[in-house]
Amino acid sequence: MKALQITQYGDIDSSLAFQELDVLEPGAGEVLIKIHAAAINPVDLMVMRGDLKAVKKLNLPVGIGRDLSGEVVSVGSGVSKYQIGDAVFARVGEDHVGTVAQCLVVDASHLAKKPENLSHEESASVPLVGLTSYQALIQVAGLKKGEKVLIHAGSGGIGSVAIQLAKAYGAYVITTTSSDNVEWVRKLGADQVIDYKKENYLELLSGIDVVYDTLGNQYTKEAFKVLKQGGRVVSIAGVLDPQSARELGINWLLRKLIRLRSGPILKLAKQKNALYRMVIMQPNGDQLLELAALYQDKILSPVIDKIYPFEQSIAAFSHLNTKRAKGKVVISVGGST
């Protein structure tokens, strides 16, 4: 079978190449998927460039891509939830990365049956961004009906899903975006849209219940300027906090360094009697099934910027790298249903 792989660390043109690989048999608790579509994400580019080598150095060549939608081809021992022919989607675990391929073995616990009303391309656009925002806003922040939530970068892959999810849970949604996307994100459900090219959100906002920090750097610190006393800041781009480090199983020595690095942010949180958590998304088939129901009931809608054919996968990564995509960039690997 054919798969796109990272052959060396570097830029897109020098690092990515198609390879012919053997099709693996699923082991215990695993499922072999015929992939119909894969979505790509900024984290894929970070891994390709070597930005995360300090966390995990790859034994190259390796696959690329973490989102898929496809069809069950065979199941390993101990798998009873899925049968051959089932249409499924997933954000695969880090041990099974490589969704830009014709087939892939994945952990069955990371799968969910795809929404029947979505194509494979639409379904592939959901898992990573959907689970990330679900775990940040619902699981960690505990977003409630009527609360005010600030979501930065509303037109991106994460933001476009987060706006819809927050509205589905009854929140008052505020988002930031550029002038070109103001009306577009308002149609996604945002109650208040701040054009960062013309307005300073710090001068307009206060008393926010939840800040969803998708940008990091100064935005993480600025979150506490608009947050109300006792509010919550959940970040996917800021500094790792000690509790999240402990839950990830990071050793005690690194946790000490993390505590030192996160000190300034934790101090700001203490001054506001606020929660600060860095959310690192974990694959979760049960949560994905909850999201699937929201898409099935048309409470949420997939947001796709562009779909590329499999043979143009490298061009898809180049487009993602422009950082101008409105929604997700998807690769169509096979026929959709």
Side-chain angles (χ1 to χ4, degrees):
M1 66 127 186
K2 185 177 288 188
L4 188 68
Q5 292 204 309
I6 303 171
T7 59
Q8 63 181 35
Y9 290 119
D11 60 25
I12 293 169
D13 291 334
S14 64
S15 300
L16 299 180
F18 283 104
Q19 307 280 325
E20 285 292 336
L21 305 175
D22 294 332
V23 176
L24 300 177
E25 290 296 320
E30 294 180 330
V31 176
L32 176 64
I33 305 296
K34 177 183 178 183
I35 298 173
H36 287 274
I40 57 177
N41 299 279
V43 66
D44 298 315
L45 294 172
M46 294 170 66
V47 171
M48 178 200 71
R49 291 191 301 260
D51 297 350
L52 304 179
K53 277 193 291 186
V55 178
K56 183 180 180 181
K57 191 171 183 179
L58 301 178
N59 184 19
L60 301 171
V62 296
I64 191 168
R66 289 159 170 78
D67 282 329
L68 66 78
S69 182
E71 177 185 343
V72 175
V73 175
S74 62
V75 299
S77 61
V79 178
S80 58
K81 196 173 181 179
Y82 300 102
Q83 299 178 347
I84 294 172
D86 283 347
V88 294
F89 69 144
R91 193 291 194 183
V92 303
E94 290 302 307
D95 292 336
H96 296 87
V97 170
T99 61
V100 186
Q102 292 173 317
C103 293
L104 187 69
V105 168
V106 305
D107 188 320
S109 68
H110 298 161
L111 291 169
K113 291 187 178 179
K114 84 170 187 67
E116 294 180 359
N117 59 324
L118 300 188
S119 68
H120 280 293
E121 287 77 13
E122 290 171 327
S123 295
S125 74
V126 171
L128 186 146
V129 292
L131 286 172
T132 299
S133 292
Y134 181 93
Q135 291 172 14
L137 292 174
I138 310 307
Q139 182 178 330
V140 176
L143 186 65
K144 299 177 181 65
K145 183 177 180 180
E147 289 191 316
K148 290 183 179 181
V149 57
L150 170 61
I151 299 169
H152 283 297
S155 64
I158 291 284
S160 59
V161 172
I163 289 170
Q164 296 182 72
L165 186 64
K167 285 300 295 182
Y169 277 78
Y172 180 89
V173 178
I174 306 161
T175 192
T176 59
T177 192
S178 65
S179 304
D180 293 341
N181 297 321
V182 168
E183 290 305 316
W184 187 75
V185 295
R186 189 170 280 123
K187 289 178 182 178
L188 289 176
D191 296 288
Q192 182 178 351
V193 182
I194 297 172
D195 180 351
Y196 68 77
K197 291 187 175 182
K198 298 178 181 178
E199 302 169 299
N200 183 349
Y201 79 97
L202 293 172
E203 297 174 354
L204 299 174
L205 302 179
S206 63
I208 303 298
D209 295 286
V210 176
V211 177
Y212 187 19
D213 169 35
T214 62
L215 299 175
N217 298 315
Q218 80 271 17
Y219 291 94
T220 309
K221 293 180 180 179
E222 290 176 356
F224 296 95
K225 294 181 179 180
V226 299
L227 193 71
K228 77 172 189 179
Q229 287 288 122
R232 292 94 78 199
V233 175
V234 286
S235 176
I236 59 172
V239 294
L240 191 61
D241 63 281
Q243 182 176 338
S244 296
R246 187 167 53 252
E247 292 174 356
L248 290 168
I250 294 173
N251 69 60
W252 67 272
L253 181 59
L254 279 177
R255 290 208 308 270
K256 277 193 171 184
L257 296 174
I258 287 166
R259 180 173 289 278
L260 287 172
R261 188 182 176 205
S262 61
I265 295 297
L266 296 179
K267 183 178 179 180
L268 291 173
K270 187 176 181 179
Q271 290 170 354
K272 279 287 182 82
N273 191 28
L275 170 79
Y276 170 78
R277 289 290 302 278
M278 169 73 172
V279 178
I280 298 178
M281 190 278 299
Q282 301 297 314
N284 188 311
D286 292 337
Q287 291 178 349
L288 194 56
L289 193 61
E290 290 185 45
L291 288 168
L294 294 175
Y295 283 93
Q296 186 71 46
D297 294 339
K298 298 183 179 180
I299 296 170
L300 304 181
S301 299
V303 181
I304 295 176
D305 180 81
K306 192 170 183 180
I307 299 173
Y308 286 82
F310 185 45
E311 59 271 17
Q312 293 181 22
S313 295
I314 295 175
F317 278 97
S318 295
H319 179 56
L320 177 66
N321 197 40
T322 66
K323 300 180 181 180
R324 292 196 294 267
K326 290 168 60 176
K328 295 304 298 292
V329 178
V330 176
I331 294 168
S332 180
V333 180
S336 62
T337 60

